[in-house]
Amino acid sequence: MLLREVEYARPTSVQDAVRLLSEHDGARALAGGQTLINVMKARAASPDVLIDLQDLEELKGIDLAPDGTLGLGAMVTYSEVMASAEARARPILGEVCAQIADVQVRNRGTIGGNVCSNDPTNHLPPLMVALGATMHIAGSSGERAVPAEEFFLGVYLTAAGPGELLTKISVPPGKSDGFAAVAIGKDGTCIVNAAASVNGSARIAIGCVDAVPVLLRADPAEDDAVRSAVRAASLDPPSDVHASADYRRHLAEIVAVRAVAQARGKH
Ligand SMILES: Cc1cc2nc3c(=O)[nH]c(=O)nc-3n(C[C@H](O)[C@H](O)[C@H](O)COP(=O)(O)OP(=O)(O)OC[C@H]3O[C@@H](n4cnc5c(N)ncnc54)[C@H](O)[C@@H]3O)c2cc1C
């Protein structure tokens, strides 16, 4: 289906991009276009102006600080994460990016677009919450940093509001991480997913069961403690053609245990 007519701008600085986003009420940032162009084709979104982020060098690149903190530019693609020597400092990032859709989507889709679209079935929102990442947001009044667990506000809604851009994601050092999902077919949309990071206790973030990832903490040494933590969260997931709410609650326990087992190095 053809797109509705839309204005297009391709700024070369974050400052100009933020100015353009603030000047036009109907403006939307365009990253890899793997979600946005599809929803525009389906007429589910109809922006007046697309602000293409492709030429923003400040949003590209992956750097590893001496203290082990990874800086991932918002416009870094999944394929770039998978190929990056620096990103291997936190190997789960490349492992999870490799599970997203297919090679075409991985070559175009960006980590910034993934978290900013905050589709509850996406892979990266629970991962970023479990890893304790920090999201860097630029707006007309300057920059701010938001912890991942406060970034996701609702379905398709994040702390990067109108007129703002996610510029970078910082991921603290660590290696004891895991991710598990039950998807619709191989590499398909997740029915339930869970990410875990173990550093003393386990930080577990469950996806697809609520509008935003559900963050839990549990003793990683005992599978029963992980299951109990999931049960104690009283999850209220949706029912749809792929899974009932009860089945999703059941899967949430299973993927949480698997993610923690991988994080402990026991998978
Ligand atoms: C066939 C198919 C299967 C897929 N399967 C999966 C899957 O299994 N798991 C998964 O996680 N994803 C999946 N996706 C989605 C894919 O990962 C998208 O790449 C991702 O959701 C959006 O990234 P993008 O770079 O394409 O962003 P775009 O589509 O360009 O943008 C998405 C949204 O984020 C906003 N945005 C983008 N970047 C920024 C920024 N820096 N600051 C502020 N706002 C921004 C845009 O304005 C837009 O609202 C799939 C997509 C397709 C086409």
Side-chain angles (χ1 to χ4, degrees), residues 184-242:
I184 307 162
K186 186 181 174 301
D187 301 332
T189 303
C190 296
I191 295 174
V192 176
N193 60 27
S197 185
V198 172
N199 181 6
S201 72
R203 271 173 78 92
I204 307 163
I206 318 267
C208 315
V209 293
D210 206 333
V212 300
V214 176
L215 178 62
L216 315 168
R217 286 187 171 75
D219 175 357
E222 297 291 335
D223 290 354
D224 278 347
V226 175
R227 281 198 198 92
S228 298
V230 177
R231 264 181 241 131
S234 304
L235 301 176
D236 186 20
S239 284
D240 59 27
V241 289
H242 302 298

Side-chain angles (χ1 to χ4, degrees), residues 9-11 15-25 27 49 51:
R10 197 158 170 155
Q15 207 182 2
D16 278 351
V18 164
R19 182 181 50 75
L20 286 163
L21 283 168
S22 326
E23 275 174 11
H24 303 276
D25 279 347
V49 191
I51 312 297

Side-chain angles (χ1 to χ4, degrees), residues 21 27-39 45 50-51 53 56 59 73-78 96 99-102 104-106 108-119 121-125 136-138 151 156 158 160-161 164-168 183 187-190 193:
L21 283 168
R28 284 284 278 277
L30 174 67
Q34 297 303 294
T35 294
L36 185 54
I37 299 296
N38 286 337
V39 295
L50 287 178
I51 312 297
L53 310 182
L56 301 183
L59 267 55
M75 284 298 284
V76 167
T77 65
Y78 310 125
V96 173
Q99 295 172 33
I100 296 176
D102 51 40
Q104 291 95 327
V105 172
R106 293 196 290 269
R108 295 288 306 174
T110 65
I111 58 161
N114 192 298
V115 295
C116 286
S117 51
N118 192 29
D119 181 324
T121 66
N122 273 2
H123 284 66
L124 297 190
H136 301 269
I137 300 171
F151 179 78
Y156 311 132
T158 71
E164 294 190 317
L165 267 188
L166 178 76
T167 55
K168 193 172 89 165
D187 301 332
T189 303
C190 296
N193 60 27

